[in-house]
Amino acid sequence: MEASRSALRFRTIAFSLVAALASVLTSPVGTAGAQGPPASTVVIVGVSDSQTGEALQGAQIFFPALGRSGLTDGLGEARTTIPSGIHRIRVRFLGYVAVDTSLTFVGDTSGVVFRLPRAPTTMETVEVKTTSARMKDFEMRRTIGLGRFLTADQLDKEGSRPFGIVATTKFPGLQFVTDTDGRPHIASVRGSCGAGTSPSEAILAGARGGGSGGTGGGPTGSTGSGGGSGSGTTPGSSGQSGATRTSFGSCMPSKQCYVVTFLDDIQLDSADFDLITTWDVAGVEYYTGNSVPPRYRVSGAACGVMLVWSK
């Protein structure tokens, strides 16, 4: 009898344990979800200078996939709420290297600090050129195209060469000559340039006795001067020789046809061009015949006119 009671008591205890265990296993999860990771998280993003540690105010924080963005405050921080998980984040600030990365954001609050290095600043070389009023006139005449021109770029390539050599090689019809005193000149290859001499030159020549030369064997128009009249190459009986009384930049018969040269609108002696340094020249113009601009049609212009403009 006692044995049967013990067996009954054991079965009751065992059933109670099984029932209790079944109750635990089959009961619905009530508060378990509240103990898992939250569905959203508050993100605090800090941005500072990588070298100085200074907080960067106004840095842009952007989550591309979420379409959310913000700017850092005076403490270099930005706050926003996003879903928990892995998200792509971009951090940008003017003058600094941008960051574009993916991070995991979980928990009630997530914090991340970006220390941005400064971006190297490079600027393209900018060449500033100013154009003077006289060079504007140069460019205007070059556009019209009546004469021949050398620009600053062309002259820079010839900078190591004497100006006279550059001019005679770049402009056709010119030659480099020396007078009896050994002074250099730029001359036209026309040789005798009596034809085409300007009216003022003809009047000047006649006044010097050069307009009524004799019939000797020499070229017409002697170098005589004063009231006398020469024949051939014999000077007149009085006065100095024509070599010392030739008009400035003249283009007389039986003489070399020296080109008239202007430097920055100042007329030079025909031998002074040798003082010009090619490196210092910004532009050159050369005209012949009717192409000579009216303001430069001076005595001797029939031999050609060269306008030189300094830098």
Side-chain angles (χ1 to χ4, degrees):
M1 184 68 177
E2 186 65 27
S4 62
R5 287 180 180 180
S6 298
L8 178 61
R9 189 181 302 113
F10 175 80
R11 287 196 296 269
T12 301
I13 293 174
F15 176 80
S16 297
L17 291 175
V18 173
L21 181 60
S23 176
V24 172
L25 293 177
T26 59
S27 63
V29 179
T31 59
Q35 298 175 354
S40 62
T41 181
V42 176
V43 177
I44 303 175
V45 181
V47 183
S48 61
D49 186 296
S50 63
Q51 293 182 347
T52 65
E54 180 184 1
L56 300 179
Q57 181 180 3
Q60 182 189 44
I61 312 300
F62 181 50
F63 292 89
L66 304 176
R68 297 186 184 179
S69 63
L71 297 176
T72 56
D73 57 19
L75 298 177
E77 295 181 351
R79 296 169 180 259
T80 186
T81 301
I82 62 173
S84 298
I86 300 175
H87 298 289
R88 183 181 177 187
I89 181 173
R90 295 177 183 171
V91 181
R92 296 177 180 177
F93 190 70
L94 184 63
Y96 289 79
V97 177
V99 174
D100 190 334
T101 186
S102 294
L103 298 174
T104 300
F105 299 94
V106 294
D108 294 332
T109 304
S110 293
V112 59
V113 176
F114 292 94
R115 295 182 173 86
L116 304 183
R118 288 185 175 271
T121 303
T122 58
M123 295 182 64
E124 295 183 359
T125 303
V126 178
E127 184 177 1
V128 179
K129 293 184 178 180
T130 58
T131 303
S132 62
R134 63 173 183 261
M135 291 309 295
K136 289 181 180 179
D137 293 340
F138 170 90
E139 292 297 338
M140 179 186 68
R141 290 189 290 266
R142 191 163 74 98
T143 301
I144 297 174
L146 293 179
R148 296 179 180 274
F149 300 84
L150 288 176
T151 64
D153 291 339
Q154 293 173 305
L155 291 164
D156 287 345
K157 296 177 182 178
E158 304 287 342
S160 60
R161 304 177 66 194
F163 176 75
I165 300 300
V166 174
T168 54
T169 55
K170 295 297 182 179
F171 296 131
L174 298 181
Q175 58 183 343
F176 185 83
V177 299
T178 56
D179 58 20
T180 55
D181 294 326
R183 300 190 309 166
H185 299 266
I186 297 177
S188 169
V189 297
R190 294 171 57 185
S192 176
C193 51
T197 301
S198 64
S200 60
E201 188 68 38
I203 294 173
L204 191 61
R208 291 172 176 167
S212 57
T215 59
T220 305
S222 71
T223 57
S225 59
S229 60
S231 62
T233 59
T234 304
S237 58
S238 64
Q240 298 176 344
S241 67
T244 59
R245 299 191 59 184
T246 302
S247 63
F248 185 70
S250 66
C251 179
M252 297 292 291
S254 73
K255 289 182 174 293
Q256 289 285 358
C257 200
Y258 296 148
V259 171
V260 177
T261 304
F262 288 83
L263 175 61
D264 296 336
D265 267 344
I266 299 176
Q267 187 174 354
L268 303 179
D269 182 271
S270 59
D272 286 346
F273 81 90
D274 199 38
L275 302 176
I276 301 173
T277 303
T278 306
W279 277 116
D280 296 330
V281 179
V284 184
E285 308 171 52
Y286 176 58
Y287 299 93
T288 57
N290 293 331
S291 69
V292 177
R295 63 181 296 185
Y296 300 108
R297 292 178 184 176
V298 297
S299 177
C303 294
V305 173
M306 185 175 297
L307 310 180
V308 183
W309 306 104
S310 63
K311 293 181 178 178

